[in-house]
Amino acid sequence: MSLTLWSHPYAAYGQKAAIALNELGLPYELKLVDGSPEITAGFAQVSPFAKMPVLQDDSTGRTVIESSIVIEYLDRLAGGGRLIPADPEAALEARLIDRIVDNYVGGPMNRIVFNRLGRAGTPNETALTQDAQELESAWDLLEQKLSDGRTWGAGETFTLADCAAAPILTYARRLVPFGDRPHLRAWHARLMARPSFVRALEDAAPFGNLMPAPLVED
């Protein structure tokens, strides 16, 4: 096996990379980052910031960090033009939606979870409110983008944007529901039905429900 993914099946950014691998049909070995001393030591050697996922390509000796860059690498490895569109304008839109999802959905989502778990001490209610408002703003922007009738996050093909959105939207909506945003809800429903994401969720299922927020239907 030439590709190894250091990650955890429940981690949103790890799922993002796994979705890309599934979409591209690239076989890989999962190196489960489970907190054990041996794995932790090995992970520290490949991940300078101790962040998942990390991709190792034994055929080239390349180690790639950051989920978006991992996906760019994988797309090129598979021949290019699938998850990163060949058209420059379409590629720009895919990267834009990916950044919106990662920074303005995933960012506040992770901070809210961090606060709720008490890892920063007593939960900071002001910070929680600000992060919830940032998520609302992200929902509004995505709803506006999707209102042009596009099928997927950046257009008519499944791209990097959708790899990012599938797991992150799934978890973030449990903190701040979509509300009255029909285009956003319809896009998320399509993501939930995508076989590459279904497989990622199945891989995560044995680890239970690790999200400190209830399931929602809005």
Side-chain angles (χ1 to χ4, degrees):
M1 184 72 64
S2 64
L3 295 177
T4 300
L5 185 70
W6 292 74
S7 187
H8 190 286
Y10 203 90
Y13 293 101
Q15 286 183 11
K16 174 180 171 180
I19 290 166
L21 286 158
N22 296 339
E23 284 285 331
L24 298 169
L26 296 172
Y28 68 98
E29 176 188 354
L30 174 65
K31 186 74 74 169
L32 180 63
V33 181
D34 60 2
S36 65
E38 181 181 358
I39 291 294
T40 299
F43 186 50
Q45 293 179 356
V46 299
S47 181
F49 304 107
K51 300 293 185 182
M52 298 179 279
V54 175
L55 181 78
Q56 287 185 295
D57 185 348
D58 293 339
S59 66
T60 62
R62 189 84 174 264
T63 297
V64 187
I65 64 171
E66 288 297 313
S67 59
S68 299
I69 307 305
V70 167
I71 292 175
E72 293 236 14
Y73 182 84
L74 292 171
D75 189 69
R76 189 183 303 173
L77 192 65
R82 291 179 59 184
L83 298 179
I84 309 297
D87 176 75
E89 288 299 318
L92 194 64
E93 184 70 3
R95 292 187 178 100
L96 172 63
I97 300 300
D98 171 71
R99 292 296 78 218
I100 291 170
V101 170
D102 272 11
N103 291 327
Y104 304 112
V105 179
M109 175 188 77
N110 286 332
R111 291 192 296 271
I112 290 171
V113 169
F114 191 81
N115 253 304
R116 286 195 178 178
L117 290 177
R119 291 177 179 170
T122 302
N124 184 324
E125 295 301 328
T126 299
L128 285 168
T129 298
Q130 291 173 341
D131 286 325
Q133 290 172 343
E134 188 166 311
L135 271 172
E136 292 276 7
S137 296
W139 294 159
D140 286 340
L141 179 55
L142 291 170
E143 177 72 9
Q144 185 274 323
K145 283 281 189 180
L146 293 159
S147 67
D148 64 4
R150 64 184 68 180
T151 300
W152 298 107
E156 292 309 301
T157 60
F158 191 98
T159 68
L160 163 70
D162 303 288
C163 294
I168 294 176
L169 266 62
T170 296
Y171 298 129
R173 72 178 298 200
R174 293 169 64 171
L175 302 171
V176 177
F178 291 151
D180 186 21
R181 298 179 178 92
H183 301 294
L184 183 59
R185 284 189 276 108
W187 177 36
H188 184 251
R190 290 189 288 274
L191 292 169
M192 290 293 292
R194 189 76 175 186
S196 57
F197 185 41
V198 171
R199 178 178 167 186
L201 290 176
E202 289 173 348
D203 290 343
F207 296 93
N209 183 4
L210 303 179
M211 183 70 174
L215 293 169
V216 295
E217 285 297 334
D218 60 342

